[in-house]
Each structure stands twice: as structure tokens, then as C-alpha cells.
Amino acid sequence: MKKINNSTKVIVGLSGGVDSAAAAYLLKKQGYDVHAVFMKNFAERVGPGHECPWREDRLMAYRVATHLGIPVETWNFENEYHAKVLRYMVTEYQRGRTPNPDIMCNKEIKFKLFTQKAKRSGAQLIATGHYARISKDTRGVYHLHKGKDANKDQSYFLAALDQSQLRSVLFPVGSMTKPRVRALARRLKLPNADRPDSQGICFVGKVPMDAFLKRYIEPQKGDIVDTRGSIVGTHDGVSYYTIGQRRGINIGGGPALYVVGKDSKRNRLVVGVHDDLALLRREITVRDWHWLGGSHRFPLACTAKIRYRQANQRVTLRKTGKTIMASFAVSQRAVSAGQTLAAYRGSELVGSGIID
């Protein structure tokens, strides 16, 4: 637990959502000198009917700050967001991979640039409304744990954080359930107490991924083939699809088809049925391995997830040269290169890497 005193300045990232609003209230109640910042990271029109909601979000953040009686301002990280998150995202899709922009946004924007500017502004700590928890051991090492609410746990999105970031952040709602947060917000009469949770790309909003990517990647017609190599349709570009995807293939007259492979060199999309063996992998190669709270010995028996909403799966991690081989007890469906594998021991997220 980080030291609390009345002179400790904390800057809360107010997103306009109820979780960060509740976080700001809890910190003020605990005696912190609470300030709020709304981060403006993306403000472009993303297509007909898909306006970026930043204006609405900022208005709500300011209403919350006024309601709580805390100062608030806007910090603009649009250029950095484009350079660090959008460019990475588009490049990965162009390579036929499926990145996780939320994890990169947390690593480079929310818990790096935001933290750095907060400290230049005199803050000792920052805080967000993430459902995750942090502990500190007797050696002074910080550890990231799942949030108490299993349905809302967001530790997966924080899998790329390091010690300097973990020691600088507070997650006030991490030990609460979402219903309890909602109840608190209603009791406080917060203006966003019943506002729906945000969805979609980090700071962009809910927009079809193919429509968003077409802003940056030119369409390129190609063949859709089945697992035997027979042409069954056409597509606008393999970059717009991800492994396991069903929607958007637009081939009717038979069983539901899923993306089981992408051949970027030949611009071919490979499709199969739900139980196609091409969708299953028991062993996964992971690169760029990163420990969060101290290294562990290999081989490491633990659990892991390869996407946010997945239940933890039993796995053994082995180091092979510069990469990690993850051997799962049960074959994993729709493994997507570019996604993050997050490894857990109990509630603690101990390490992560990028799937190849």
C-alpha cells in the first residue's frame, strides 16, 4: 500500500466513465490532494455515423469534477497517440497480425506520458478507474493482481507495465465490484452514475475495425479459399481480418465460416468451419517476454490467457533461445499473432509477451 498523507497530490485520469469518477471520489475521501485530467488522444471523424466521442466524454469528465469539487484540465496527447499507438496498430495489421491497441495505449500513453507529465506538474501519484490491484512485497517490489470483480478484471490490459509505472499508480476501484461502484455513484448522485461502459478501440470508440482500418490501409481485392485451397469468394484485404473472425466474410449458402489463416504474401484469406483443426493450437511461440514484478524460473507452470475475455488456461512456459514456448493443457482456439499472452500465478499477472 502506498503512503497516504494530506499533502500527497494525485492526478486522476477522468475518462467520463463511472469507474474513474468513483476512483476520484474514493481518493478524495481518503485524504489525497486530488486533481483531475481528461486526456484528449483522438479526435478524428472515423467514418459516417462513427464520430469519436471525445467531446461528450470530456463534458462528462468536467461535470464529474465539478460535482466532486476537484480541479480539472485537459491534456492533449493526440500526436503521441498517433505515433505510439495508431502507427503500431496499423503496421501490425498490414503485416497480417492482430495487435492489441489498448495494451499499447496503457504502456505508452496512460501510464507513461500521462505519468511523466503528472509528475512534472507536482503529482506524486496518478490514478485510474481500472479494475486491478497492486501489492508491494518486503523487498519493495510491486506486483499486479486481478481486480476483485472477475467479470470486470482489467489486469490483462496492463500486462506491459513495468515497476516504475506500477509504483506510480493507484487503482481505487480494483477491490470493488462493478455493481458496488454503480451503487456508490448513484448514492453520490454522480452525473455519470448510469452511463454505459465505453467500448471499442482505446480513445477511439466503438467502430467496425475494417471501416477504421480502411482509413489507413488501402483495400486490395484477393481470394478467399477453403482449407483445401478452393476459391470460395473474394475479400477487400487480409489486413481487415483476424483469426477466428466470422462476421464480414460474406459467403452464404452453407455452414458458418471462420477465418482460420491469412496469407499476406498472396493476399489470400483462408476459411474453415467452427471446429476446423486449423483453428486449434496447443503450442504457441511468444516473443518480447516481459516480467512485471520479478523474474521466475523456467519451465514455469502457471495459467495464461491469450485474449481479454478468456478464462485462464493451464500452461507451461519454457524458454527456447530468445523466445518462450507456451504449451497449453488444452488446445487453444483462434490464436492470433500479435495478441498478448498474459501469464498468471494465482491472482498475480507475472509476465507477458507477444504471440507469434
Side-chain angles (χ1 to χ4, degrees), residues 10-15 17-27 34-37 39 105-106 109-112 114-115 118 125-134 144 154 157-158 161 165-166 168-176 181 203:
V10 181
I11 295 184
V12 181
L14 273 189
S15 65
V18 68
D19 300 321
S20 59
Y25 165 76
L26 291 169
L27 291 172
V34 180
H35 295 241
V37 162
M39 283 180 273
C105 181
N106 284 330
I109 307 297
K110 290 182 183 177
F111 298 96
K112 187 175 182 180
F114 176 56
T115 301
L125 298 165
I126 67 161
T128 69
H130 282 88
Y131 286 85
R133 294 173 292 172
I134 296 174
L144 178 68
Q154 293 172 305
F157 293 124
L158 307 171
L161 299 191
Q165 293 167 318
L166 292 175
S168 301
V169 66
L170 297 171
F171 297 132
V173 302
S175 297
M176 300 174 67
V181 169
F203 287 109

Side-chain angles (χ1 to χ4, degrees), residues 8 12 14 24 32 51 57 69 97 100 105 123 134 136 177 226 257-258 272 282 298 310 327 344:
T8 301
V12 181
L14 273 189
Y32 286 102
E51 187 77 30
D57 291 340
R97 298 162 63 84
N100 192 308
C105 181
I134 296 174
K136 180 183 177 183
T177 63
D226 61 24
L257 295 175
Y258 299 79
R282 194 159 183 171
F298 293 111
Q310 184 186 34
S327 301
Y344 293 81

Side-chain angles (χ1 to χ4, degrees), residues 308-351:
Y308 168 49
R309 283 296 183 185
Q310 184 186 34
N312 280 43
Q313 308 288 304
R314 288 191 298 119
V315 67
T316 298
L317 304 178
R318 294 181 174 84
K319 189 172 178 61
T320 57
K322 294 183 179 180
T323 62
I324 302 297
M325 181 61 69
S327 301
F328 285 87
V330 177
S331 294
Q332 301 299 296
R333 185 176 184 276
V335 179
S336 298
Q339 285 284 290
T340 293
L341 180 147
Y344 293 81
R345 299 200 78 181
S347 69
E348 183 184 358
L349 198 167
V350 296

